[in-house]
Amino acid sequence: MQKIEDYIHTRKLKDKLDEFDFSRRSDNMGKIINYVSEYFNDYLTPEDFSEEILKLQQNLEKSRKRLEEDYPTSHLFIEQFYMKHQKRIDTFIGKVIQNSVEAPLCYRLSDYMAIAKEVLYNRLLMKDESEETLNNVAIAVEEYTKRWNEEPDRSSMKEVDPVIVKWIMDAYREYGVNLLDFAYGYMSEWEKKYTETTYSRDIKESYLINHYDYQYQENPFDINQWYEQHKDRPFIEGKKYFLEMLLMYIWLFEILDDSSYWGEYIQLMIKQRNLPLKNKKRRLIPVAISGISYPEEIENTIEYIETKDGKVKQLQAQKYILAIINEKQTDNFWTNQVKRKDIIQNLKETFKLYGMPKLLELRTPMKNAAMGIQELISIYYELLHELKNYKTVNIAIRTQSSKSAKEPLIYSMNDIMKLYNTIKEMKIDLKIMLDMVDTNGRNVLKNNMEDLVNTLHGRQNIIVGFYMNQLEDWGGYHHLYQSTSRRKVYHTTKNYQPFSEFMSALTVILDSTKPKYFIPQRVTSSEKLEALVDQLYRCGCKFE
């Protein structure tokens, strides 16, 4: 039931009446008078004023403006359907779409028709309705879908490679589909099927228990079957492994809150699936230490050399890292100017003889009244001036993180942060080598990994490499993570070895596209180095 103004508007559209055509002014006036007469004599009949009809009309009035905005083409059909059947078909359309896993991928007439049939035939049980009605429902479905499918949220894909993010955004721009929303819906079904929540009265914690074996799967989340059924969609064809990575990302980061497998999984996808990912993170450049060998698959062409006086007797490789050792506390590069000039002169001779090192490393000086950050920077400038003819030299300060009789200048997280702020403020190209070597549990950085991660978050590029001799044993039976909204404890029925705190922190520190030097130190044998390399692979690292 329409108001008179709506009735006149409908008739005007049907007759294509143009009230501003003054050449037909008399005819237009006659037609408008006829519309009014027809409305009161033919359209508006006494039985239309029943209490039930009036109530339906009033309900429509409350939502007519919103209907016209949300359904610019089909709102009149929705109103007429409501007046005839007393059912808001737009509400049924919304429920079907919101409960459909694949609704975010709708973009073509067949998709809209499938949902229209679900609404009309299965939900409303109106299988005798005309084809015209079905077509009108499909038009309403299309309008709802295009409004409902919003642009994918980039902030929800922080760990997703830019190549996959581009695929998702391009699919939305070209077809109006939301692959991210689809993936969330798809994985929510797996969460319902394979995880359960239980409560422990002993420690008063809720546990999420995973029963699905997702690691090293050839067909995770039944992706092969789904792909075969939907590969006719242009944004799906040839993108099976992109979709698999998106599903795995949601499973690990959003459902299990367990990112420990992600880094290794990325490397598997690059190596086994040959995916052209853009951000290849956690890349390590292996540096050779005399006396121990890397596993055969790792080709290392950079040699690590230590010198007390700047001289190098012999090189086994063409590329090398040169580390200046502090010989004595009162007679070394930092504290003795005469000694420093001799070392710098010897460095020049070494560079002429063997070429520039990939990195010139200076060990941190000891902290005292005459040696602070500013003094360190002054000596750094002096070194740059003396080596001005060697403009490509890269210089780094190595931290010292084990306790000693005197406190090193670059020792704790606070020291690293002070040096970082000075480097940033003065805009100098000085880098940091992290000392993560630990044999007796006294490495101050490893004992405070949470602080180290917080310190280096967003600042990983200042770190050019690290020294290491071991990774701790794997973590306990369960993962413990602090979510932004709730504390989540995760158990698995599979024999997955969770990361230790150090392993988890290391993946964050290496979360950068720039490769880092890996220097094994105090690793006593090639066998122990191979075991350490295997653990780094599990952390998602790749050796270049």
Side-chain angles (χ1 to χ4, degrees):
M1 181 64 65
Q2 292 180 300
K3 286 186 175 183
I4 187 170
E5 57 267 28
D6 297 323
Y7 180 82
I8 293 173
H9 178 69
T10 302
R11 291 300 308 274
K12 278 175 53 182
L13 293 177
K14 182 178 180 181
D15 295 342
K16 299 181 180 179
L17 185 147
D18 180 7
E19 60 263 56
F20 297 108
D21 184 356
F22 294 105
S23 66
R24 302 180 60 83
R25 182 174 181 179
S26 297
D27 291 342
N28 290 341
M29 186 182 301
K31 287 184 178 180
I32 294 296
I33 292 173
N34 286 336
Y35 295 160
V36 175
S37 177
E38 290 173 3
Y39 179 81
F40 285 106
N41 293 328
D42 301 326
Y43 180 78
L44 194 61
T45 59
E47 55 268 22
D48 292 330
F49 287 95
S50 68
E51 185 177 346
E52 183 178 353
I53 297 297
L54 283 175
K55 188 175 181 179
L56 293 174
Q57 186 71 35
Q58 289 169 357
N59 289 340
L60 273 180
E61 281 297 322
K62 295 177 182 177
S63 58
R64 177 167 282 122
K65 184 177 180 181
R66 182 65 181 270
L67 277 173
E68 291 175 353
E69 293 175 353
D70 293 348
Y71 300 90
T73 303
S74 60
H75 69 92
L76 288 177
F77 163 74
I78 294 172
E79 292 178 15
Q80 292 166 1
F81 191 94
Y82 178 66
M83 295 302 296
K84 182 179 179 180
H85 300 288
Q86 292 81 53
K87 295 182 184 296
R88 287 291 297 265
I89 197 166
D90 55 313
T91 301
F92 282 88
I93 290 172
K95 288 181 179 178
V96 169
I97 289 177
Q98 291 171 23
N99 292 323
S100 170
V101 171
E102 293 174 5
L105 303 184
C106 290
Y107 77 102
R108 56 193 176 185
L109 180 59
S110 59
D111 298 330
Y112 306 137
M113 273 294 187
I115 294 177
K117 290 177 181 179
E118 172 67 22
V119 171
L120 199 60
Y121 299 158
N122 297 337
R123 298 299 178 94
L124 294 175
L125 303 177
M126 295 181 178
K127 296 186 179 181
D128 296 330
E129 285 291 327
S130 66
E131 186 174 344
E132 181 183 2
T133 299
L134 180 63
N135 289 335
N136 283 327
V137 176
I139 292 172
V141 168
E142 180 179 4
E143 290 185 302
Y144 184 95
T145 302
K146 289 182 176 179
R147 186 183 72 258
W148 179 67
N149 264 352
E150 297 180 344
E151 183 175 350
D153 182 11
R154 288 179 179 270
S155 65
S156 299
M157 300 183 282
K158 293 179 180 178
E159 290 292 328
V160 180
D161 190 87
V163 171
I164 298 178
V165 174
K166 183 179 184 300
W167 163 60
I168 293 170
M169 302 309 293
D170 287 348
Y172 176 78
R173 282 189 287 268
E174 189 170 353
Y175 300 98
V177 299
N178 191 322
L179 286 158
L180 181 62
D181 279 355
F182 161 73
Y184 273 109
Y186 188 96
M187 294 314 299
S188 68
E189 296 300 312
W190 282 79
E191 181 181 16
K192 294 173 187 175
K193 187 176 181 180
Y194 287 101
T195 67
E196 63 175 302
T197 302
T198 188
Y199 182 79
S200 171
R201 296 183 181 275
D202 295 333
I203 61 174
K204 298 181 179 180
E205 287 282 5
S206 290
Y207 291 88
L208 178 68
I209 302 177
N210 168 47
H211 298 280
Y212 181 61
D213 188 359
Y214 58 87
Q215 293 192 10
Y216 315 114
Q217 283 269 12
E218 286 296 321
N219 182 29
F221 316 118
D222 289 343
I223 187 67
N224 292 344
Q225 295 88 321
W226 189 92
Y227 177 77
E228 288 300 318
Q229 295 171 7
H230 298 85
K231 64 182 181 181
D232 61 317
R233 299 174 186 269
F235 49 85
I236 294 296
E237 185 180 11
K239 298 295 191 295
K240 181 174 75 171
Y241 296 124
F242 279 14
L243 184 60
E244 179 190 319
M245 286 197 71
L246 182 60
L247 298 179
M248 185 66 75
Y249 169 77
I250 291 171
W251 181 253
L252 295 177
F253 284 84
E254 301 295 336
I255 295 177
L256 299 187
D257 198 13
D258 171 29
S259 61
S260 59
Y261 179 58
W262 181 244
E264 183 183 8
Y265 171 74
I266 289 175
Q267 297 303 331
L268 288 173
M269 295 300 280
I270 292 173
K271 186 175 181 180
Q272 296 181 4
R273 311 299 192 195
N274 197 29
L275 289 189
L277 302 183
K278 186 176 181 180
N279 277 358
K280 297 180 180 180
K281 298 182 179 181
R282 303 182 181 95
R283 296 182 294 161
L284 299 179
I285 302 173
V287 179
I289 296 289
S290 177
I292 58 173
S293 301
Y294 280 90
E296 291 183 1
E297 73 272 12
I298 296 178
E299 297 181 7
N300 59 289
T301 57
I302 299 180
E303 184 179 359
Y304 176 76
I305 302 293
E306 292 182 341
T307 177
K308 295 180 180 180
D309 55 12
K311 295 179 180 179
V312 174
K313 295 181 180 179
Q314 185 178 0
L315 281 181
Q316 302 296 325
Q318 291 183 344
K319 300 176 182 179
Y320 67 105
I321 289 177
L322 188 60
I324 298 176
I325 304 299
N326 296 334
E327 187 172 9
K328 295 179 181 179
Q329 297 301 326
T330 58
D331 186 22
N332 62 34
F333 179 85
W334 298 105
T335 58
N336 189 312
Q337 189 174 20
V338 175
K339 182 77 172 181
R340 181 161 61 249
K341 288 187 177 295
D342 289 341
I343 292 175
I344 292 174
Q345 184 58 43
N346 292 336
L347 286 175
K348 294 177 182 179
E349 296 298 325
T350 297
F351 296 168
K352 289 179 182 179
L353 188 61
Y354 297 108
M356 295 293 295
K358 299 295 292 183
L359 185 72
L360 176 62
E361 178 193 281
L362 307 174
R363 302 287 175 88
T364 176
M366 294 295 113
K367 184 186 298 183
N368 56 57
M371 178 58 67
I373 296 293
Q374 293 302 323
E375 287 74 20
L376 181 149
I377 297 298
S378 295
I379 294 174
Y380 166 75
Y381 273 125
E382 179 185 332
L383 176 61
L384 283 184
H385 178 73
E386 292 293 334
L387 298 177
K388 61 184 177 181
N389 293 330
Y390 303 91
K391 295 182 179 180
T392 59
V393 63
N394 296 308
I395 302 176
I397 299 293
R398 176 180 174 176
T399 67
Q400 180 173 322
S401 299
S402 58
K403 293 182 179 179
S404 59
K406 292 186 177 181
E407 184 177 354
L409 181 62
I410 310 301
Y411 172 62
S412 65
M413 279 67 67
N414 288 336
D415 299 330
I416 293 174
M417 197 62 197
K418 288 178 183 177
L419 180 59
Y420 170 82
N421 289 334
T422 302
I423 290 171
K424 183 178 180 182
E425 181 180 352
M426 301 183 71
K427 298 180 180 180
I428 57 180
D429 193 27
L430 181 61
K431 302 296 184 181
I432 297 176
M433 286 284 291
L434 285 181
D435 180 3
M436 308 302 293
V437 176
D438 191 16
T439 55
N440 52 14
R442 298 174 65 187
N443 187 302
V444 68
L445 296 181
K446 287 182 66 176
N447 290 335
N448 297 276
M449 290 307 296
E450 184 176 352
D451 289 343
L452 182 62
V453 168
N454 291 335
T455 299
L456 295 179
H457 180 67
R459 306 179 179 97
Q460 290 95 326
N461 287 341
I462 197 174
I463 307 299
V464 292
F466 59 94
Y467 292 80
M468 182 182 291
N469 65 325
Q470 65 181 7
L471 282 169
E472 283 87 2
D473 293 336
W474 303 88
Y477 175 67
H478 68 271
H479 293 296
L480 185 63
Y481 298 97
Q482 186 70 38
S483 298
T484 55
S485 58
R486 60 191 172 95
R487 193 168 186 236
K488 179 188 283 189
V489 181
Y490 156 64
H491 278 265
T492 178
T493 57
K494 309 304 174 184
N495 293 322
Y496 301 153
Q497 289 181 304
F499 280 7
S500 66
E501 182 183 14
F502 182 39
M503 295 173 75
S504 297
L506 186 64
T507 62
V508 177
I509 294 171
L510 297 178
D511 189 29
S512 170
T513 57
K514 291 188 177 182
K516 313 292 184 188
Y517 293 111
F518 167 68
I519 305 177
Q521 201 166 68
R522 297 187 187 177
V523 178
T524 56
S525 66
S526 299
E527 290 75 19
K528 290 187 177 181
L529 177 57
E530 183 175 4
L532 177 57
V533 166
D534 287 341
Q535 287 180 307
L536 289 170
Y537 280 140
R538 283 292 312 274
C539 290
C541 295
K542 180 180 185 298
F543 290 87
E544 296 188 345

